[in-house]
Amino acid sequence: MKASEIFGENVFGIAVMRDKLPKDVYKSLVSTIEDGTPLDPGVASVVANAMKDWAVEKGATHFTHWFQPMTGITAEKHDSFVSPGRDGKAIMEFSGKELVMGEPDASSFPSGGVRATFEARGYTAWDPTSFAFVKDGTLYVPSAFFSYSGEVLDKKTPLLKSMKALSREALRILKLFGTEAKQVFSTVGAEQEYFLIDKKDYLRRKDLVYTGRTLFGARPPKGQEMEDHYFGAIKSRVFDFMKELDEELWKLGIFAKTEHNEVAPAQHELAPLFASSNLANDQNQLIMEMMKRIADKRGLACLLHEKPFAGINGSGKHNNWSMSTDRGVNLLDPGSTPAENSRFLLFFSAVIAAVDEYQDLLRLSVAGAGNDHRLGANEAPPAIVSVYVGEELGEVLDALERDEKYAGKKRGVMKLGVDTLPDLPKDTTDRNRTSPFAFTGNKFEFRMVGSSFSLAGPNIVINTIVADVLKRFADVLEKADDFNSAVHDLVVKTVREHKRIIFNGNSYSDEWKREAKKRGLSDLADTSEALPLFAGEKSVDLFERMGVMSKREVVTRTEIMLDNYCKSVAIEGLTAVEMVRRDIYPAVLNYVRTLCDAVAAKKILPGANCATEEALATELSELTDGMCTKAEELSQALAEAKNVQGAAEQSAFYAHKVLPLMHEMRVIVDCAEMKTPKEMWPYPTYGELLFGV
Ligand code: ADP
Ligand code: MG
């Protein structure tokens, strides 16, 4: 099937709107989508009716408001279009009111106490800036989710507000540059990494089923060192999976390309074409859902966890980010004229300043139980935030900072707004792969985001912190007499003040860790250290100042995320204990008995040598003692953890007491696995999961 034939066929997109809506309604809706004008309430019923007719043609019988509660995934409540008509006949109906507002039974969504105090009801509201679509016989209406008193309960609303803040401040600056724009969008293209393994194996691993990652597993003789990406027996199923996934996503208007180019065995990547952050976020949710569903259908399991296998690369979601006007001008594209260049450098330096000033927020926006196993390990970006700008741009910034001429140019001191930048090669071959926040020619790539994350959290932070710096820039520039030299001075000052965040070397090295410390960069080791800062004064002030979240919303969000973390680790701990006590210990004990039986049997041989069997049985017996002792300690720690007061304190307990015990237990278990026959081991091994052997 060709992409062109099916692309977007299940989406109520711009072309369908133009086709199905009366001209004035179409115009009004598009100006809401593209220019940010508030939705005209009069158009809702017309749109609803057109949407319904279109959806029914596609076979839909139901509709749902599709929203993104704090769980990080999506939720929906289906209602039928069918209403009683005259003469006992049924008619298909969808009113403007139903399109605009919904009331899901939402009492079970995490709200950090917001709803409890105010009003038990939660509402959903149509987000016209993302597109409705048909899936599984249902019309999906992308929606925001909030409480009766207007408090935000979801991930989408603050994302939209952060985009609005960014647009507001960027427009002030564009006006000064004379760049025409009605709105500025943050844009995101998120590369999604994932693992595919055989579903039969998956279902035999309690740890994968309960926690998404393997809690045990000895390293196979071969890991990823050969980088030859073995598919083994599931190769053709993987290809068919990718084909179907591509097609299903095309139908939903997501232009995506799947590839199997990752380093780890059984790991793959999908990169969609970038879109506005809001749409990209919705699309990413659909991508993750489709991946899981299509894998399942094809006898595979899709793992979206950040670190499903120890000792093997984890998965991320590289968040490519930029800003673009409604006319499609990418503000992080250097351009070719002096004016474009100085505009570029101003926005570029704003991002650098924002990243430096709010390192902690960026770090905590990607904190979570899964990502803790990835960040700072020797594969993924480190937990220290820094920015890669590349050699050429680095030299340009150096020259600007020292008010010297740029070495590559023959003319005098480079003056922004007057001189052009040297051509910056948009080179993709020798890009730095170790940087957490890398400039890649016309966008930044934030590589710390975890593969299972909602894109909302990190992008709320990026948009808001950049908006904050742009606001300050606009305050200065609006008062300036000489605009060009004010821009120049602002860029130079910004580079001087924030250059400590720029690092072009190997971010995985210990040397960088030491250097980063000297530079005073923040190094938050794990979720329990990072997350509580979200509710700190600096963070609350920022979100309130930019109109993105209230203090209450920030504080409750922090609690929900910390609670999530604690629950995740608790489930892991309980799963590990159960696996040891009920499966692993009995299995190893069985083998010890077999060895002892062998010793007894061998004894009938004259001069029998049973040293090997005896030594092995003794060693395994010690290992089983060890793992059972640890299981007991872990079990006690888990009971204790529940009683720790305070979300931050509790998360620290899980991080520093529970996880280390799990790790110690794993070391013992993995040791025992290496010495136990495969047939007697209760779970598929890493070799089977990753290589099919
Ligand atoms: P890579 O070499 O990393 O594959 P690509 O140019 O293919 O780089 O882009 C990777 C991702 O970045 C894609 O999802 C792409 O759509 C996205 N991207 C490209 N330009 C932008 C932009 N201006 N804003 C946001 N994302 C972008
Ligand atoms: Mg990339």
Side-chain angles (χ1 to χ4, degrees), residues 194-267:
Y194 60 101
F195 279 84
L196 283 179
I197 61 169
D198 194 288
K199 187 171 151 188
K200 285 197 300 296
D201 291 339
Y202 168 83
L203 290 174
R204 288 178 55 213
R205 297 260 344 185
K206 284 182 188 164
D207 44 6
L208 282 177
V209 172
Y210 286 140
T211 75
R213 73 176 176 112
T214 54
L215 301 173
F216 304 105
R219 294 193 60 160
K222 178 174 162 173
Q224 61 193 47
E225 51 279 272
M226 307 287 288
E227 304 203 353
D228 59 355
H229 202 96
Y230 181 89
F231 285 118
I234 60 172
K235 187 172 179 170
S236 68
R237 256 187 288 160
V238 169
F239 277 110
D240 292 345
F241 162 88
M242 288 183 175
K243 193 162 167 285
E244 184 177 351
L245 179 60
D246 280 347
E247 286 173 6
E248 287 305 316
L249 294 177
W250 290 340
K251 287 185 202 164
L252 290 168
I254 302 169
F255 195 83
K257 237 175 61 200
T258 39
E259 277 169 29
H260 28 260
N261 57 355
E262 292 316 302
V263 186
Q267 194 185 29

Side-chain angles (χ1 to χ4, degrees), residues 469-483:
V469 175
L470 289 177
K471 176 178 186 295
R472 235 177 301 149
F473 279 13
D475 290 345
V476 172
L477 295 176
E478 279 169 357
K479 286 196 214 94
D481 297 326
D482 177 351
F483 179 66

